[in-house]
Amino acid sequence: MSAAPLDVNAAIDAVLTRKVPMPVMAGAAGAVVIGLLAFVAGLFIDPVWTWGAVIVGLVYLIGISQGAIMFSVVSTLTWARWSRPMKRVAETFGLFMPVVYLALVLFLIVGLRVFPWHPSTIVEGGPVHLAPESIAVLFAAKPFWLSPGTFIARQVLGVGFMVLLDLIYLRSSLRPDLLMAKLRLGDKAPGWWNMVIGGATDVAKEREASDKLQAGLGVVLGFTYAFIMSMIAFDLIMSLSPLWYSNMFGGWFFASSFWLAMQSIGVFSLIGLDWLGLRGWIKPSHTHDLGKMLLAFTMAWAYMTFSQILPIYYTNMPEETDFLMLRIVLPQWGPMARVVAVMCFIMPFTVLLSRGIKKMRGPFVALMLCMMLGVFLERTLLVMPSIFKGPDFPWVNFLVISLGVWIGCLGALVTFATQMLTRMPALPVSDPKLETHSWDVHVHAHGAH
Amino acid sequence: MSATNDTAVPGLNGEPNRPSLYGAANRDIIRVLFKPSALWFFAWALAIATMSWGGYCWYYQITWGLGVAGITNPTFWGVYIVNFVFWVGIGHAGTLISAILYLVRSRWRTGVYRASEAMTVFAVMTAGIFPMLHLGRVWQVYWFFPYPNQRQLWMNFKSPLMWDVFAISTYFTVSAVFFYIGLIPDMAIVRDHSTGLLKKIYGVACLGWRGTNRQWRHFMAAYGFFAAFAAPLVLSVHSVVSWDFAMANTAGWHSTIFPPYFVAGAIYSGCGMVMTLLIPMSYLFKWGDYVNNWHYNNLAKMCLLTSGILTYAYGMEYFIAWYSQNPYEQAIFWWRMTGDYAWAFWLMVFCNCVAPLPMYWSKVRHNPAALFVISIFINIGMWMERFNIVVSSTAHSFDPATWANYWPTWTEFGVTVGAFGWFSFWFLLFSKTLPGVAITEIKEMIAPPVKGGGAH
């Protein structure tokens, strides 16, 4: 830890010189190519699995991008200081959301037949009969709700609305920072900053307006996140098993997406610590706080997963249990469920109990990478068993298509985020809460840090 | 420009008006102890009167049997269970505020956590009465506990009701110990300001606290440990309570969202009750320096967050009932909002989803009178939510031939009112015997006294 006061001007000046390191650029581009190749090859090997892998990629990327925006929103609304040095990285992930939205729209146009409720589904067994079996049903929801037209309309409008709010929020957050940077850099500042800054000239005034707008919009975004992410979970994942339902599924999905976003932000910020000029800003105390948040959300993930499984297991009704049996008990998926339990709960919970590991950059990054892999497996486990009907686990499909598409998705995100971060300061430079406050001092019982 | 200018930090806006001297904190908080006013005696007498009335109703029920209560076929869970869930819920905010907010270093908890912890302990004590009332034959209360009968038969550990016994007794034990640990340094201050018998009592109660470095180190270790230990209990207790319902194959009860929904509701009701108690307490005890708009503002935000979660949960329940095409689920949710108990449903919706909305305005969050009124709505709304869940599903179950409405009798109303008296009795007693605000933690927020007037 440096004793010298940190200066945000260095973060501003770095914009002029920061370039994406060649290995990173090549690696990320390579990952995108791998993803595209896996997708194209998959369409020939097993189109149903491939579209399933695309759904996994979509919900994974939506989770990171939208969850990252919520990371920024929550930091703003709770006046948190520890998360401020990571706020801009989070918002950069958030800026990827329009790209994910376009990918979602493309998927809705060409990949919708992977849903078993689609009249011309490609899933083995043909379309699932959606009309209610009982004449006592008051409202026959599914023939209406799970029809291509309404499905596409609500996804396009719902997610589109959320993306619109995201952009307004992100512009508001970036505006005072870019203005401050522009005032320092003058004509050397990138031209696109003017679109964000508009005619603003007074940093303090913009800062105040930005804080006010972020706080107000943050509340709206919070509700939008809850409802739209639930809709995404119900539509893109739950409706793959059209007869199964769980009213916690949406909440569970958006909470775990936030958790995934924190992991991603942590990995990116810590790997890019020097490149982004965050060393000194992100101290061991910050990673300690991030680790504690991850530990809390690890427990929340386990709690919500357990809370969802237990009532279904206990009441033992066939229409509910088959979803769990398929994923937890049957031999083709059961081992993956156990791997998910280890990677998403047992391992992070055990390791994150250690105070030291949260302050050690390398091991902490490795742990978060494992957790990200765990969430990928968890999303795969949610999606694939609903559409894959084979008796054995398809290793080729998984290793070639699923992993390939996932790597491609991460490659696209890294390419986008690294490019964006060469074009703007990696810190919210005008944010007064960037500086650690004396109240944030860490006190441990035995004086050990 | 550097981002290090503290004077521009919005996060420090709205801090409490801190007393400038450590002595002032001692004086202001201790001065209200042991000197009950006429108003306090009136309130305490009222609490004893209502508690006695509740006690009489219970006596009447013991004498004449459980038949004097309104619970009968098909609704065997009535107001007693409603009250049980309500009071367990009230007991949530204390540990949330004292433990979880401690772990996340929220400074605003300092002014309010002591009273919240006391509220938690007394609320769980209140909740614990209702299973005994509901049992009817209270002399067999030991059946609750893991204790085999003469034929070595144990109770059904697979029953969520059994899980409840473990969850709530654990929560009560940990909350009470946590409450006591936090009180130790403060009781030492009371000891130092007392004479005679009181000095001896507080001397024993504070376990000989002298404030040495070693004691503080042990104290901080124990406090941190209990905070970490208590935090998961906040989630577990009401989750287990929710499973009393969710594990049953009953329409409207069997729901995966119940655990987080119940936990959010419990925090909502607990924070509401904290405001109901602390706003008048701070006003009457002239504690404006310690419990003020800064705290109310944050409590109001907690209520807004949890109200939002409740609104989401209500929405999800209805959406999934519709989406499921399950006729029983659809029927019960339709009946809840249109049937005989629709008034309870809409009152719940109003109090839990609509009434808190004015708190989105900062002016309302900084107006104690408005917050007090809203907190009353919150209490009513959360009681109604439990009534809505507990009663409607059994009154209107699968077979129309069994449908019948439930209405509590005067004995059940009497016990319900008596429970508020019982709770108030203990809380009022607490307010005059133990520091209602954590003196030592308040001092952590005061600028340390230094030579020459305190500038540092």
Side-chain angles (χ1 to χ4, degrees), chain A residues 135-148:
Chain A
I135 56 165
V137 168
L138 289 169
F139 306 102
K142 285 182 181 165
F144 165 75
W145 189 256
L146 296 180
S147 65

Side-chain angles (χ1 to χ4, degrees), chain A residues 300-318:
Chain A
W301 179 87
Y303 162 73
M304 294 180 87
T305 306
F306 180 72
S307 300
Q308 193 162 214
I309 290 172
L310 188 67
I312 294 172
Y313 162 78
Y314 194 94
T315 43
N316 200 22
M317 292 194 291

Side-chain angles (χ1 to χ4, degrees), chain A residues 1-306:
Chain A
M1 177 182 150
S2 166
L6 295 162
D7 188 359
V8 291
N9 289 333
I12 296 171
D13 296 341
V15 176
L16 299 176
T17 54
R18 189 184 296 133
K19 298 275 182 275
V20 183
M22 187 48 75
V24 174
M25 200 190 294
V32 174
V33 172
I34 288 172
L36 288 172
L37 287 175
F39 173 72
V40 174
L43 288 178
F44 291 100
I45 299 169
D46 186 341
V48 172
W49 185 281
T50 306
W51 286 115
V54 170
I55 293 175
V56 172
L58 278 172
V59 294
Y60 197 85
L61 283 181
I62 290 172
I64 292 178
S65 301
Q66 196 58 44
I69 291 178
M70 288 315 297
F71 182 84
S72 169
V73 167
V74 171
S75 297
T76 303
L77 292 180
T78 58
W79 296 358
R81 289 171 176 276
W82 68 269
S83 53
R84 296 290 156 153
M86 295 172 234
K87 192 179 177 211
R88 188 51 30 85
V89 170
E91 289 170 349
T92 308
F93 286 174
L95 283 167
F96 193 56
M97 197 56 204
V99 181
V100 183
Y101 177 62
L102 286 177
L104 174 69
V105 172
L106 271 176
F107 166 76
L108 293 173
I109 294 167
V110 294
L112 208 60
R113 289 195 306 147
V114 74
F115 288 95
W117 47 260
H118 195 282
S120 52
T121 182
I122 53 173
V123 176
E124 189 186 327
V128 174
H129 182 64
L130 292 176
E133 291 177 6
S134 167
I135 56 165
V137 168
L138 289 169
F139 306 102
K142 285 182 181 165
F144 165 75
W145 189 256
L146 296 180
S147 65
T150 50
F151 188 94
I152 292 171
R154 69 173 170 271
Q155 285 295 321
V156 170
L157 294 175
V159 182
F161 174 69
M162 186 163 70
V163 171
L164 182 67
L165 289 182
D166 290 346
L167 292 176
I168 298 171
Y169 175 85
L170 292 171
R171 181 175 186 268
S172 148
S173 180
L174 283 171
R175 198 174 157 104
D177 295 337
L178 295 188
L179 174 60
M180 185 174 156
K182 167 93 178 170
L183 291 177
R184 179 171 173 83
L185 299 182
D187 293 338
K188 294 178 193 164
W192 68 272
W193 288 7
N194 293 328
M195 289 195 313
V196 179
I197 297 167
T201 51
D202 186 339
V203 176
K205 205 170 146 190
E206 285 306 315
R207 181 75 251 165
E208 193 182 337
S210 167
D211 285 342
K212 205 171 170 185
L213 185 60
Q214 282 184 72
L217 203 56
V219 174
V220 179
L221 256 173
F223 280 105
T224 309
Y225 177 77
F227 282 100
I228 301 296
M229 291 293 273
S230 297
M231 183 190 81
I232 289 168
F234 293 146
D235 279 355
L236 294 186
I237 305 175
M238 201 167 86
S239 83
L240 290 165
S241 296
L243 301 181
W244 185 80
Y245 54 88
S246 161
N247 52 17
M248 211 229 268
F249 199 78
W252 177 76
F253 176 73
F254 73 65
S256 61
S257 293
F258 185 73
W259 181 52
L260 170 64
M262 280 196 292
Q263 298 157 16
S264 315
I265 294 162
V267 167
F268 193 90
S269 302
L270 290 181
I271 289 180
L273 199 65
D274 291 316
W275 177 66
L276 292 168
L278 298 176
R279 189 178 287 279
W281 292 99
I282 297 180
K283 299 170 192 162
S285 64
H286 292 89
T287 60
H288 185 205
D289 283 332
L290 178 66
K292 285 192 281 187
M293 280 292 281
L294 286 174
L295 176 63
F297 271 81
T298 299
M299 289 192 281
W301 179 87
Y303 162 73
M304 294 180 87
T305 306
F306 180 72

